[in-house]
Amino acid sequence: MMTSMLQGIFTCVLGVAGGIAVGGGVIALIIVLDIIPRLSQLTSTYHRVHWYEGALISGSFIGTLADFWHWSVPLGPVVSTIIGLMCGIFIGMLAAALTEVLNVLPILAKRLRLTGYLFGLLMAMVAGKVAGSLFDWLIYNQ
């Protein structure tokens, strides 16, 4: 009884900590890339920045609910292919924008006096990403 309660508490704490870490990383990425200000500048709609922010938060929330409750919409193979193509284009553009931000790491390492450890920092990031992907693919999705 006591161990299952401790396991439940540990799972909740771990889930909240993971959520905060991932959410913080996503928000940091959005801030560093200046996605919302650039979007409003390109479309000349800076007075509608709050709409963009609301859409981002609403989309994240609805996407989380859809993932938790396994929502699905049967759209057929053609519509699914188009949506998949659009998602792939979005991910590709986000990856391209992220490579633009990679120059932040040397500046951060220089300010924190960690320039000698920059290679180790990059390798730790790559190893963490590979380990997480392998865990998700081999263990979590079984």
Side-chain angles (χ1 to χ4, degrees):
M1 173 78 174
M2 186 66 157
T3 56
S4 72
M5 188 165 62
L6 287 175
Q7 283 179 338
I9 291 171
F10 179 72
T11 303
C12 288
V13 170
L14 190 63
V16 169
I20 289 171
V22 170
V26 168
I27 295 302
L29 179 68
I30 290 170
I31 289 171
V32 167
L33 292 178
D34 280 339
I35 290 175
I36 293 177
R38 284 186 187 182
L39 179 65
S40 63
Q41 182 183 17
L42 289 173
T43 58
S44 299
T45 56
Y46 194 73
H47 59 284
R48 301 215 190 267
V49 168
H50 298 295
W51 283 93
Y52 294 133
E53 293 169 349
L56 187 68
I57 292 168
S58 300
S60 299
F61 183 70
I62 291 170
T64 301
L65 291 178
D67 186 41
F68 278 162
W69 290 325
H70 304 289
W71 292 347
S72 66
V73 180
L75 297 174
V78 174
V79 176
S80 295
T81 302
I82 292 170
I83 291 173
L85 181 66
M86 295 297 171
C87 290
I89 290 171
F90 174 76
I91 296 297
M93 297 294 277
L94 192 61
L98 188 58
T99 58
E100 185 180 309
V101 174
L102 280 179
N103 63 356
V104 170
L105 291 176
I107 294 169
L108 182 65
K110 183 177 179 183
R111 288 190 182 172
L112 295 176
R113 296 185 183 104
L114 297 173
T115 50
Y117 303 105
L118 187 59
F119 182 73
L121 176 66
L122 286 172
M123 287 295 107
M125 290 170 65
V126 169
K129 182 66 177 169
V130 169
S133 297
L134 286 174
F135 175 79
D136 182 57
W137 184 46
L138 296 174
I139 297 171
Y140 186 69
N141 284 326
Q142 291 297 327

